[in-house]
């Protein structure tokens, strides 16, 4: 293993994060705070408890997921797309590194950044609502797995993208709607039966449900199913990345 | 000297069907500078990209320092430094960070002393904390070289390193290359500029349409293929050659004020002595004589034309 290369990629990407600290951390915190103000305080104060949890607290896992999913994809996709865009990918392709080392460096950095943002948002949530996390370690584990798997997806998107606009397409047009419709702001049990069935086809539901279970002990789907879904998603992403490097798709001439 | 790079029957056909390399074979010895000359689209960059791992070969094999670039790619790539044709750098990164990153990427532990030495050698030390976007074009080119040298490679590929740079910088680059050769680094250089090959290369390879037309010692090449011309300025102009000089291949130039004689330097007899005697016998008075050696450029153009 070329540990030195992995470390170099990881550190290089993390340094970029600190260089753009404002966009990286402050922006998601501000936007999440706004969600708390609007949904938690303004609208939430008029809503009764949902499944035994105050509405302001109920939306915390969904809000963290919303930011973490978008950030994971954005960070990882930008991390690999930018070298492609400016041409520095030549260095990566000519270095004595294998797929695992490249992915570990880029995805590791993207996941670390998203994980940190998730924790910052959690800290911000404490400023607005009282929270009593029932399974704190599982919550952290769930958050970490989510950051990792969606950073893998972001890495794939970064390789696929041919322009900066394409980088934004998946987070904006796919992930954000799926998070909103995956029970971020409501329990699936609040929907009519038909829409409950439709929602079951939304993969993000399983993430939010599992994450919410770690917070409050209640879930829309069994927690084992949530873990299985995220594990399957991670394996699929790893498989696709392996295939990309094997064929050189979109990265080699 | 041992062979540092061995290319055997290397071929590359792109998805479009374009055959960029056609069974290229080449051996490069340790410590030499070889210049690959060729027109646009000849396959120079594809050859380098394939050796360095950026492009997947369609056939053939390459070893670097005895290591196969596919089956034993890690040690092979550790020996290679690549300076690409395009100035590809992270604009917001500091010079020292981007150079240190390259070293780490190639698996070498941090070595501040080596990075400082490399940056000083390339006159970049004063700019170590500058962002890449603040540098001039010439400095950016030097940063690319510093990145390629950061992991102490034994073989350096310079893909048109002086394309689009001014004369002063080009000469500075040649000095850098000569310094690297003195350190024992093997250098493979592709260029459009014949004078570049003429100035710094030990051997010259000519590549056209994906094939290596020849690889030869620069001096031997020029000796073998070099023709010389002798321009004879006349005291009084002539309108036609005297009959006695008709079969000597002389050309009348400058409205009869000069005669041009082309001869082969490798021939046993150049014919100069008898020509001068014949001119004297014909009563032609000479004012001056100049000789001119054909450049590599002339040889290159001739070879590429013949290979077409």
């Amino acid at each position: 293993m070329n540990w030195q290369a992995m470390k170099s990629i990881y550190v290089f990407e993390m340094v970029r994060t600190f260089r753009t600290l404002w966009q990286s951390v402050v922006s998601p915190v501000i936007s999440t705070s706004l969600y708390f103000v609007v949904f938690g305080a303004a609208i939430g104060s008029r809503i009764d408890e949902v499944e035994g949890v105050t509405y302001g607290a109920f939306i915390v896992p969904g809000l963290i997921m919303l930011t973490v999913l978008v950030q994971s994809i954005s960070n990882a996709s930008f991390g690999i797309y930018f070298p492609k865009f400016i041409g520095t990918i030549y260095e990566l392709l000519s270095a004595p590194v294998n797929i695992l080392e490249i992915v570990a460096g880029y995805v590791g950095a993207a996941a670390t950044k998203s994980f940190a943002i998730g924790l910052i948002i959690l800290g911000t949530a404490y400023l607005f609502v009282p929270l009593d996390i029932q399974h704190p370690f599982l919550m952290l584990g769930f958050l970490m797995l989510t950051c990792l798997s969606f950073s893998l997806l972001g890495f794939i998107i970064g390789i696929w993208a041919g322009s900066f606009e394409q980088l934004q397409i998946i987070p904006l047009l796919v992930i954000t709607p799926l998070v909103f419709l995956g029970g971020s702001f409501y329990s699936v049990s609040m929907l009519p039966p038909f829409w409950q069935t439709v929602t079951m086809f939304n993969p993000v539901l399983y993430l939010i449900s599992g994450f919410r279970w770690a917070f409050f002990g209640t879930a829309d789907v069994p927690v084992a199913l949530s873990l299985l879904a995220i594990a399957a998603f991670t394996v699929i992403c790893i498989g696709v990345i392996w295939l990309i490097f094997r064929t050189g798709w979109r990265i080699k001439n | 000297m041992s062979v540092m790079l061995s290319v055997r029957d290397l071929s590359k056909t792109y998805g479009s069907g374009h055959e960029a390399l056609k069974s290229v074979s080449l051996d490069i010895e340790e410590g030499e500078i070889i210049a690959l000359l060729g027109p646009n689209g000849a396959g120079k960059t594809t050859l380098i990209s394939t050796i360095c791992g950026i492009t997947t070969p369609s056939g053939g094999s390459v070893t670097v320092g005895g290591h196969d670039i596919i089956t034993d790619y890690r040690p092979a790539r550790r020996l290679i430094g690549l300076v690409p044709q395009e100035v590809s750098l992270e604009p917001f990164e500091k010079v020292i960070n981007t150079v240190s990153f390259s070293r780490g990427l190639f698996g070498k532990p941090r070595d501040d002393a080596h990075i400082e030495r490399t940056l000083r050698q390339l006159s970049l030390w004063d700019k170590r904390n500058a962002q890449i976007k603040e540098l001039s074009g010439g400095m950016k080119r030097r940063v690319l070289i510093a990145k390629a040298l950061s992991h102490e490679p034994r073989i350096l590929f310079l893909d048109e390193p002086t394309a689009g740079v001014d004369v002063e910088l080009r000469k500075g680059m040649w000095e850098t290359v000569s310094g690297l050769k003195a350190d024992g680094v093997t250098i493979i250089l592709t260029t459009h500029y014949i004078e570049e090959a003429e100035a710094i290369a030990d051997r010259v390879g000519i590549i056209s349409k994906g094939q290596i037309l020849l690889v030869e010692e620069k001096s031997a090449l020029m000796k073998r293929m070099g023709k010389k011309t002798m321009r004879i300025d006349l005291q009084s102009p002539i309108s036609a050659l005297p009959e006695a000089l008709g079969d000597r291949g002389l050309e009348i130039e400058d409205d009869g004020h000069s005669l041009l004689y082309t001869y082969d330097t490798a021939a046993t007899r150049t014919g100069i002595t008898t020509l001068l005697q014949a001119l004297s016998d014909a009563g032609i008075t000479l004012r001056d004589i100049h000789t001119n050696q054909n450049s590599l450029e002339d040889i290159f153009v001739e070879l590429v034309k013949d290979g077409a």
Side-chain angles (χ1 to χ4, degrees):
Chain A
M1 285 291 280
N2 188 344
W3 296 103
Q4 197 68 42
M6 263 197 297
K7 183 183 152 196
S8 295
I9 297 170
Y10 182 85
V11 171
F12 197 73
E13 286 300 302
M14 291 309 288
V15 167
R16 192 209 305 280
T17 304
F18 289 112
R19 204 172 49 224
T20 56
L21 202 61
W22 180 258
Q23 301 100 296
S24 304
V25 178
V26 180
S27 303
V29 169
I30 290 176
S31 57
T32 311
S33 300
L34 289 174
Y35 276 114
F36 280 122
V37 170
V38 174
F39 290 100
I43 299 174
S45 61
R46 295 167 182 269
I47 299 176
D48 287 336
E49 288 185 345
V50 179
E51 294 177 359
V53 182
T54 61
Y55 186 69
F58 181 82
I59 64 169
V60 171
L63 280 180
I64 293 174
M65 275 289 160
L66 174 65
T67 307
V68 157
L69 297 193
V70 172
Q71 284 291 318
S72 298
I73 291 176
S74 299
N75 296 337
S77 60
F78 185 81
I80 190 67
Y81 176 74
F82 196 54
K84 264 176 58 186
F85 179 71
I86 60 174
T88 53
I89 188 99
Y90 83 86
E91 201 174 19
L92 207 58
L93 296 175
S94 61
V97 289
N98 64 20
I99 312 165
L100 184 66
E101 291 147 6
I102 294 173
V103 172
Y106 281 103
V107 171
T112 304
K113 186 174 150 185
S114 309
F115 186 74
I117 290 170
L119 293 183
I120 290 170
I121 291 171
L122 181 62
T124 311
Y126 273 106
L127 301 175
F128 292 90
V129 289
L131 279 171
D132 181 21
I133 302 170
Q134 292 199 8
H135 308 286
F137 292 109
L138 281 173
M139 182 276 291
L140 290 175
F142 225 101
L143 184 63
M144 201 179 288
L145 260 178
T146 307
C147 292
L148 187 67
S149 58
F150 277 76
S151 294
L152 286 167
L153 176 65
F155 191 81
I156 295 168
I157 292 169
I159 290 172
W160 161 78
S163 65
F164 280 101
E165 287 75 22
Q166 285 184 342
L167 278 186
Q168 302 299 324
I169 286 175
I170 306 287
L172 279 178
L173 297 184
V174 181
I175 301 301
T176 306
L178 284 179
V179 176
F180 271 87
L181 299 172
S184 306
F185 299 104
Y186 53 83
S187 167
V188 176
S189 60
M190 294 160 77
L191 296 173
F194 172 76
W195 288 109
Q196 281 190 29
T197 309
V198 170
T199 306
M200 289 298 160
F201 290 97
N202 180 353
V204 176
L205 166 77
Y206 298 86
L207 294 179
I208 294 174
S209 171
F211 197 46
R212 185 171 286 139
W213 172 85
F215 271 81
F216 311 120
T218 59
D220 288 318
V221 291
V223 69
L225 202 56
S226 292
L227 281 170
L228 191 68
I230 195 165
F233 182 65
T234 306
V235 170
I236 289 169
C237 287
I238 290 171
V240 171
I241 291 172
W242 177 79
L243 206 61
I244 285 172
F245 275 87
R246 194 179 156 82
T247 58
W249 181 71
R250 297 249 179 171
I251 48 172
K252 283 195 178 188
N253 290 325
Chain B
M1 271 189 207
S2 59
V3 172
M4 176 55 85
L5 174 71
S6 178
V7 180
R8 286 285 165 273
D9 302 320
L10 191 67
S11 60
K12 173 66 189 175
T13 305
Y14 287 104
S16 60
H18 172 61
E19 234 183 318
L21 294 175
K22 297 169 189 168
S23 198
V24 169
S25 292
L26 180 68
D27 280 334
I28 295 170
E29 291 186 348
E30 192 173 2
E32 73 169 328
I33 301 180
I34 182 165
L36 290 174
L37 298 174
N40 283 332
K44 304 186 295 291
T45 299
T46 303
L47 177 61
I48 286 184
S49 299
T50 309
I51 294 169
C52 294
I54 297 167
T55 300
T56 311
S58 305
S61 64
V62 180
T63 60
V64 180
H67 304 285
D68 187 275
I69 60 160
I70 305 287
T71 56
D72 203 11
Y73 72 97
R74 283 194 200 264
R77 290 185 187 179
R78 280 198 186 101
L79 295 172
I80 297 175
L82 168 65
V83 180
Q85 196 179 131
E86 301 291 330
V87 179
S88 307
L89 292 162
E90 290 240 9
F92 305 107
E93 201 55 66
K94 285 182 183 175
V95 170
I96 196 157
N97 289 352
T98 194
V99 175
S100 302
F101 168 71
S102 299
R103 183 177 172 84
L105 197 59
F106 278 75
K108 290 269 184 161
R110 185 174 165 165
D111 184 345
D112 294 342
H114 175 71
I115 298 295
E116 181 177 342
R117 204 164 43 245
T118 305
L119 291 178
R120 283 192 188 280
Q121 190 185 1
L122 293 160
S123 309
L124 285 169
W125 182 244
D126 292 343
K127 294 283 180 186
R128 63 189 179 282
N129 288 317
Q131 283 189 321
I132 301 288
K133 63 176 182 166
E134 296 164 9
L135 304 181
S136 67
M139 282 180 181
K140 285 178 185 165
R141 288 235 172 238
R142 277 182 274 154
V143 172
L144 286 176
I145 297 179
K147 280 168 78 69
L149 295 175
S150 64
H151 63 281
E152 302 158 72
R154 300 309 302 153
I155 181 165
L156 183 67
F157 288 90
L158 294 155
D159 195 1
E160 305 207 11
T162 56
V165 303
D166 61 39
V167 177
E168 197 181 341
L169 180 64
R170 192 176 303 168
K171 290 196 171 158
M173 210 71 97
W174 295 351
E175 282 170 20
T176 305
V177 169
S178 301
L180 292 170
K181 178 183 161 66
D183 291 341
V185 178
T186 307
I187 293 161
I188 291 118
L189 168 88
T190 71
T191 183
H192 272 112
Y193 302 113
I194 313 291
E195 71 268 28
E196 195 156 88
E198 224 168 334
I200 58 175
D202 299 317
R203 285 199 298 161
V204 174
I206 294 182
I207 183 166
S208 179
K209 295 182 178 173
Q211 289 176 305
I212 299 259
L213 300 180
L214 71 80
V215 180
E216 203 164 314
E217 294 283 337
K218 180 183 65 185
S219 50
L221 178 68
M222 291 188 65
K223 196 174 173 188
R224 185 165 68 85
M225 302 198 67
K227 287 178 181 169
K228 263 189 151 180
T229 53
M230 182 167 71
R231 179 178 289 277
I232 306 160
D233 293 340
L234 307 178
Q235 198 70 49
S236 310
I238 58 170
S239 54
L241 285 171
E243 204 171 311
L245 298 170
D247 58 349
R248 289 181 180 271
L250 282 169
E251 294 169 51
I252 299 175
E253 295 210 333
D254 298 338
D255 296 328
H257 285 91
S258 303
L259 296 173
L260 192 69
Y261 177 60
T262 304
Y263 58 99
D264 188 350
T265 52
T268 320
R269 291 171 189 276
T270 58
I272 293 173
T273 312
T274 55
L275 172 67
L276 294 177
Q277 186 61 51
L279 285 168
S280 175
D281 293 347
I284 296 173
T285 313
L286 314 186
R287 191 160 57 85
D288 202 357
I289 294 176
H290 321 264
T291 60
N292 183 41
Q293 172 86 52
N294 267 13
S295 69
L296 259 177
E297 185 161 357
D298 300 322
I299 300 168
F300 170 68
V301 169
E302 202 170 301
L303 273 168
V304 173
K305 190 177 66 192
D306 291 348

